């Protein structure tokens, strides 16, 4: 089952037994990578990364082409949370909902501190821009440059995203970013806006509802936006407004789109 698509067209996924496997942009039969991974898969030109369970805890592991493997999450990672890989940087959240980042496998990453009193939680990443949402105190969406650690922009919380008050149940919402777009799903509504103007929000109601117990996630490439519920996928072209539903996983990254067709998956370069 595909779980991650790299900007170079490499596809990572897991077999029914949980073995991680990959196939490059040339296609063919996926090859097993020799480790178990059910979440947190990501790929870059010179490394593969995955979430590894350690009892009740979880660590983000990273392996280079020569087989060197180390833990890169500074104080564990959320075993059910999304992990993003772009520009050779890995981003995730730990169990205390603090964002962390690591530049490849060279060394353990660092917790991202972006603002006072709270940094917020990572919700999307498009190198070098990390998007963090702080819904309780500052009530903002921040953009953090992972190379400098500086906050480059602050915006109000996206439409449909609620302020978090003490005692309120946590709102589940999902986001994705590319160099062109910032998109998010709150409730059953997909919204998106161009990043160059950060305005003119487009709205599309009635996106698929995730089944109980499944964790949706979004991806975005230079042209398309996808929303995967775990049972149904939704693909949107923000420029033309065309949309497509699929009963299978659909992934976008860079200039690539991966979708199921017949008895296999297809990978296309949309450049």
């Amino acid at each position: 089952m595909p779980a991650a698509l790299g900007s170079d067209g490499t596809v990572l996924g897991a077999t029914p037994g949980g073995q991680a496997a990959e196939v490059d942009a040339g296609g063919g039969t996926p090859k097993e990578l020799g480790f178990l991974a059910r979440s947190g898969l990501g790929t870059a030109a010179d490394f593969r990364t995955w979430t590894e369970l350690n009892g009740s805890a979880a660590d983000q592991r990273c392996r280079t082409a020569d087989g060197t493997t180390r833990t890169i999450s500074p104080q564990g990672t959320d075993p059910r949370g999304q992990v993003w890989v772009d520009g050779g940087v890995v981003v995730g959240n730990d169990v205390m909902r603090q964002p962390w980042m690591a530049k490849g496998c060279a060394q353990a990453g660092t917790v991202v501190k972006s603002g006072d009193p709270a940094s917020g939680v990572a919700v999307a990443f498009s190198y070098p821009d990390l998007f963090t949402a702080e819904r309780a105190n500052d009530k903002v969406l921040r953009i953090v440059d992972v190379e400098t650690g500086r906050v480059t922009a602050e915006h109000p919380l996206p439409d449909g995203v609620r302020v978090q008050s003490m005692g309120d149940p946590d709102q589940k919402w999902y986001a994705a970013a590319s160099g062109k777009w910032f998109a998010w799903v709150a409730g059953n509504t997909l919204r998106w806006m161009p990043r160059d103007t950060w305005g003119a929000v487009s709205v599309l109601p009635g996106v698929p509802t995730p089944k109980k117990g499944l964790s949706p996630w979004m991806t975005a490439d230079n042209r398309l936006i996808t929303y995967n519920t775990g049972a149904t996928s939704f693909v949107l072209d923000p420029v033309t407004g065309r949309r497509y539903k699929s009963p299978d996983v659909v992934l976008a990254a860079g200039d690539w789109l991966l979708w199921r067709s017949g008895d296999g998956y297809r990978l296309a370069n949309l450049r």
Side-chain angles (χ1 to χ4, degrees):
M1 177 66 69
L5 174 61
S7 57
D8 62 353
T10 300
V11 182
L12 264 64
T15 68
Q19 287 286 334
E22 73 172 13
V23 61
D24 63 25
T29 302
K31 63 178 182 180
E32 293 189 1
L33 294 174
F35 57 83
L36 294 172
R38 296 187 180 274
S39 65
L41 281 163
T43 175
D46 55 352
F47 67 81
R48 305 291 181 260
T49 185
W50 70 98
T51 300
E52 184 173 279
L53 296 178
N54 182 17
S56 59
D59 294 312
Q60 192 68 23
R61 302 281 280 166
C62 192
R63 190 175 76 181
T64 57
D66 65 3
T68 301
T69 304
R70 59 172 48 90
T71 296
I72 58 172
S73 50
Q75 50 191 29
T77 193
D78 181 357
R80 297 178 60 85
Q82 189 170 353
V83 172
W84 298 268
V85 180
D86 195 22
V89 176
V90 186
V91 170
N93 289 296
D94 62 27
V95 294
M96 297 192 307
R97 297 175 65 80
Q98 297 180 115
W100 58 266
M101 60 154 286
K103 293 184 178 182
C105 300
Q107 58 189 6
T110 57
V111 175
V112 178
K113 297 293 186 182
S114 58
D116 184 23
S119 61
V121 61
V123 296
F125 178 54
S126 176
Y127 180 84
D129 297 322
L130 168 62
F131 295 77
T132 68
E134 205 294 289
R135 299 191 292 128
N137 297 295
D138 302 333
K139 306 176 182 62
V140 294
L141 180 77
R142 292 189 175 97
I143 303 178
V144 183
D145 186 322
V146 296
E147 292 292 346
T148 66
R150 296 180 58 187
V151 177
T152 58
E154 280 191 355
H155 302 285
L157 292 174
D159 293 353
V161 177
R162 300 193 305 267
V163 171
Q164 182 72 38
S165 299
M166 185 70 72
D168 286 349
D170 188 25
Q171 180 188 16
K172 300 296 184 183
W173 67 286
Y174 312 93
S178 68
K180 294 182 177 180
W181 307 102
F182 180 76
W184 68 100
V185 171
N188 295 110
T189 301
L190 170 64
R191 297 176 174 90
W192 67 96
M193 68 173 72
R195 288 189 53 191
D196 57 352
T197 60
W198 204 262
V201 177
S202 299
V203 180
L204 182 63
V207 296
T209 301
K211 291 185 177 179
K212 187 176 181 180
L214 297 179
S215 298
W217 78 101
M218 299 182 70
T219 64
D221 63 15
N222 296 330
R223 176 173 169 182
L224 302 175
I225 297 163
T226 80
Y227 174 57
N228 293 275
T229 70
T232 304
S233 297
F234 189 87
V235 186
L236 170 72
D237 184 333
V239 175
T240 66
R242 292 180 179 175
R243 70 284 311 258
Y244 169 72
K245 284 185 180 181
S246 169
D248 302 288
V249 170
V250 182
L251 301 175
D255 293 314
W256 298 93
L257 183 72
L258 178 80
W259 75 99
R260 189 174 180 90
S261 177
D263 61 353
Y265 282 86
R266 302 291 183 264
L267 181 68
N269 189 300
L270 307 180
R271 183 168 48 202

